[in-house]
Amino acid sequence: MRALRLVTLILAVGLAYYGAGRLGLLRQVVVEGAVVTPLWLPSGVALAALFAFGPRIAPGITLGMLAVTSTISPVSTFSVVMAVGNTLAPLVSWYLLRLAGFRPSLERLRDGLALVFLGALGGMTVSAAVGTGTLLATGEIPWTHVWPVWAAWWAGDALGVLVVVPVLVVLIRPRLPRDVLGWVELTGLFAVTAAFTLVAIYSPLDLLFLVFPLLVWAALRFELTGSAPAALIVSVLAVTAAARQEGPFAGRTMGEVMLNLQAFNVSVALTGLLLSSLVTERRHVRERIEDACRELAEVVDTLAPSASRPRTREAEGSREAGTRREEGGRGGGGRPGAGWGAG
């Protein structure tokens, strides 16, 4: 039964990787003669699967990549090497994140920073190096095109981690609004984000910066539940426009398009992820302080269950009596000789 469960997990991961790969192939660009995807969703799926089930499901990543490449060209030695590279990259990211004490819940700022610099920008260099080396070995690109192709490949894989992993965390551990107004605000946030992104992309003016206040709003109000889907919406719309070379990506070479696109998408992902992690961490600190104060109050009530409130009343009564005596003495009332001049 244990072996059957493991085989089922491997096949399920392979199927999820294949599905994400097919979605990623819907938007392809040609950089220096090489076909790359500006947003490679399977890299995020693979890393999330490794944290959910451990490295034992790594064969599922390889099988999923082989299934994806088989839809483009027949399976060969080079496609196997590329599949191995795409398996090693999330494994390296998983290992680096484990060393850094990463928590997949992304509830701390250090978790967001680790995902960006270790999980995305660090580990994905492996898949980019193996993929570019494979294209170089097959003669599909010359030496002069290695760096642009590597940079585009690396950026697409890294962006897949930055966009997909937070969304999967939200789906697994949702922190949803508790009232109708919250749901209305969240739904309106996503609609406004999509509308503003389309306006910013297809406007004759350079208005892409308009999406960042929306990401800040999403992170401050709904933390990762709002910022992760909002970043996904913005990235997908930007990738679609870049693949068609429309809006701010029109009239540029594909190398310039990829550079601008990846800089924009990484900025979007960083803004949403890091700000939401910071807000969540602050919320947890406040909750821990409130819990500590509540526990301290319970301890005080346990040690002196009936002394605190009556003692306060007695103190207030004695203060009032002293005030009355003092006022009476100053006014010369009462029996003779009871004032300040009695000696």
Side-chain angles (χ1 to χ4, degrees):
M1 291 299 295
R2 187 174 301 175
L4 180 61
R5 190 181 303 112
L6 178 59
V7 172
T8 304
L9 283 176
I10 290 175
L11 293 178
V13 170
L15 183 61
Y17 192 98
Y18 172 77
R22 294 297 297 171
L23 288 176
L25 292 177
L26 294 177
R27 288 291 176 261
Q28 302 180 18
V29 295
V30 180
V31 179
E32 303 295 346
V35 179
V36 297
T37 54
L39 176 59
W40 186 240
L41 301 175
S43 59
V45 173
L47 184 58
L50 287 172
F51 270 101
F53 308 112
R56 56 180 181 167
I57 52 88
I61 302 174
T62 307
L63 292 176
M65 185 60 187
L66 286 175
V68 172
T69 55
S70 65
T71 62
I72 305 174
S73 61
V75 177
S76 62
T77 304
F78 294 104
S79 61
V80 173
V81 172
M82 194 174 298
V84 171
N86 278 49
T87 305
L88 289 176
L91 281 172
V92 170
S93 297
W94 173 81
Y95 181 72
L96 292 176
L97 290 173
R98 287 288 299 272
L99 288 179
F102 174 76
R103 295 179 185 175
S105 58
L106 295 174
E107 294 179 344
R108 302 176 301 174
L109 179 60
R110 59 177 294 184
D111 297 327
L113 293 173
L115 182 64
V116 172
F117 293 103
L118 298 180
L121 302 181
M124 294 302 114
T125 57
V126 177
S127 58
V130 174
T132 306
T134 303
L135 295 177
L136 183 64
T138 56
E140 295 189 22
I141 60 172
W143 276 101
T144 55
H145 296 169
V146 168
W147 170 246
V149 173
W150 180 90
W153 196 307
W154 171 65
D157 287 0
L159 186 60
V161 172
L162 293 177
V163 170
V164 173
V165 171
V167 172
L168 293 179
V169 170
V170 170
L171 293 177
I172 295 174
R173 299 178 180 180
R175 189 172 182 269
L176 302 176
R178 298 180 180 179
D179 53 5
V180 177
L181 291 179
W183 277 104
V184 172
E185 183 182 358
L186 183 62
T187 306
L189 169 65
F190 294 151
V192 171
T193 300
F196 267 61
T197 304
L198 291 174
V199 171
I201 289 175
Y202 294 102
S203 172
L205 304 175
D206 293 332
L207 299 176
L208 285 177
F209 60 88
L210 288 178
V211 303
F212 290 99
L214 297 174
L215 294 172
V216 173
W217 173 22
L220 293 179
R221 290 288 294 127
F222 301 101
E223 300 175 9
L224 199 64
T225 304
S227 64
L232 178 62
I233 293 172
V234 172
S235 297
V236 169
L237 293 177
V239 166
T240 302
R244 298 173 179 174
Q245 290 187 294
E246 298 175 343
F249 308 105
R252 302 178 182 271
T253 65
M254 188 51 66
E256 294 174 345
V257 169
M258 289 298 296
L259 179 62
N260 292 332
L261 173 66
Q262 302 303 353
F264 173 72
N265 281 339
V266 170
S267 299
V268 167
L270 282 174
T271 301
L273 177 61
L274 297 184
L275 185 58
S276 62
S277 298
L278 180 61
V279 173
T280 304
E281 186 176 31
R282 293 289 180 88
R283 177 173 58 82
H284 286 323
V285 170
R286 186 182 68 251
E287 290 174 352
R288 285 196 294 268
I289 293 175
E290 292 175 353
D291 292 339
C293 293
R294 194 177 301 111
E295 292 176 359
L296 181 60
E298 293 175 356
V299 170
V300 172
D301 290 339
T302 302
L303 295 177
S306 60
S308 58
R309 196 170 295 175
R311 186 179 303 163
T312 303
R313 293 174 179 172
E314 291 175 2
E316 291 177 354
S318 61
R319 262 199 312 271
E320 292 176 358
T323 302
R324 286 195 298 269
R325 286 196 300 271
E326 183 178 338
E327 291 176 351
R330 289 176 181 174
R335 60 181 180 83
W340 281 80

